[in-house]
Amino acid sequence: MEAAGGDKPAFERLYLRHRGRVYGLCLRMCREPTEAEECAQEAFIQAWRKLHLFRGDSEFGTWLHRLTVNTVLQRMRRARRDQDRLTFLAEPDDNRANAEEADTAVATDDIEQALQTLPGGARSVVVLCGVYGYSHEEASAMLGIAVGTCKAQLHRARKLLAARLAA
C-alpha cells in the first residue's frame, strides 16, 4: 500500500473512497453533524498516523472502521459526555408495539431519526451490533462495558426504537 509509505496522493484516494462511510458511522454514534465531522476528521488523522500499523490481515475499510469506532469512543470519553448519554429512559409500556409486531415498512430516514433520539450508550450498542454486525463480545470490548450490559442496552434500545417507530 503506497499510502503507508507516506504517499499523500495515495492516502487522499483512500480518504475519498472511505469518507462517506466514516462520516456516516460517526454521525450515527455522535448524533450531531458538527461533532461527527470532527470525529471523522480525527479518525482520518489517526489513520494517517497509524497507517504503518495496518498489517493487511483484513480489508483497509475494516481496519479504518475499527479505528473510527475507537476514535469516536475516545472523544466521547474525553468529553465526559458518557454519563449523560448512558442514562436510560424508563421502560416503555407493555401496550406499545414492539419491532416484531410492526407490519408496515419504515423509511430509512425514520430509523435514522429514531436512532438519534436514543441515549448514547444504547445508540452505540445498536450501531455496533445492529447496524454493523459486531458480536456482543466485540461491542462490549470496544465500549468498555460488560457483555451483559451490552445485551441489556441492545434489548432496551430495540424496545425504544420500536416504540418511537410505532408512534
Side-chain angles (χ1 to χ4, degrees):
M1 174 180 285
E2 300 117 18
D7 185 351
K8 290 179 183 178
F11 187 77
E12 183 177 357
R13 288 190 300 275
L14 288 173
Y15 167 77
L16 293 173
R17 186 177 315 137
H18 295 280
R19 68 182 175 191
R21 287 185 59 213
V22 168
Y23 174 75
L25 173 60
C26 293
L27 185 60
R28 285 185 182 105
M29 293 183 74
C30 297
R31 289 194 292 197
E32 299 172 17
T34 304
E35 188 175 343
E37 288 174 15
E38 291 177 14
C39 286
Q41 182 179 15
E42 192 172 326
F44 279 108
I45 290 170
Q46 289 298 320
W48 175 254
R49 289 180 182 155
K50 296 182 178 188
L51 198 55
H52 67 281
L53 299 174
F54 176 64
R55 297 185 310 242
D57 296 340
S58 63
E59 293 289 324
F60 176 77
T62 303
W63 178 81
L64 181 60
H65 184 276
R66 182 67 178 249
L67 184 133
T68 301
V69 168
N70 289 336
T71 300
V72 172
L73 293 174
Q74 287 171 353
R75 185 176 174 87
M76 290 171 75
R77 285 186 194 114
R78 274 194 312 261
R80 297 196 178 261
R81 292 185 201 133
D82 266 357
Q83 286 298 345
D84 296 332
R85 294 181 182 195
L86 289 176
T87 304
F88 289 107
L89 299 175
E91 286 286 333
D93 294 339
D94 290 335
N95 296 333
R96 293 184 181 173
N98 62 29
E100 291 77 27
E101 293 170 352
D103 54 5
T104 58
V106 179
T108 304
D109 290 342
D110 294 338
I111 294 171
E112 287 290 338
Q113 286 178 339
L115 270 174
Q116 299 306 319
T117 66
L118 292 176
R123 185 181 58 261
S124 294
V125 171
V126 167
V127 169
L128 293 176
C129 293
V131 177
Y132 290 102
Y134 284 104
S135 69
H136 288 292
E137 291 77 15
E138 292 169 322
S140 64
M142 284 188 261
L143 296 169
I145 59 175
V147 174
T149 303
C150 182
K151 291 178 181 180
Q153 286 182 353
L154 182 60
H155 178 74
R156 176 158 296 159
R158 285 180 174 161
K159 281 186 169 183
L160 290 171
L161 282 173
R164 289 181 173 123
L165 292 172

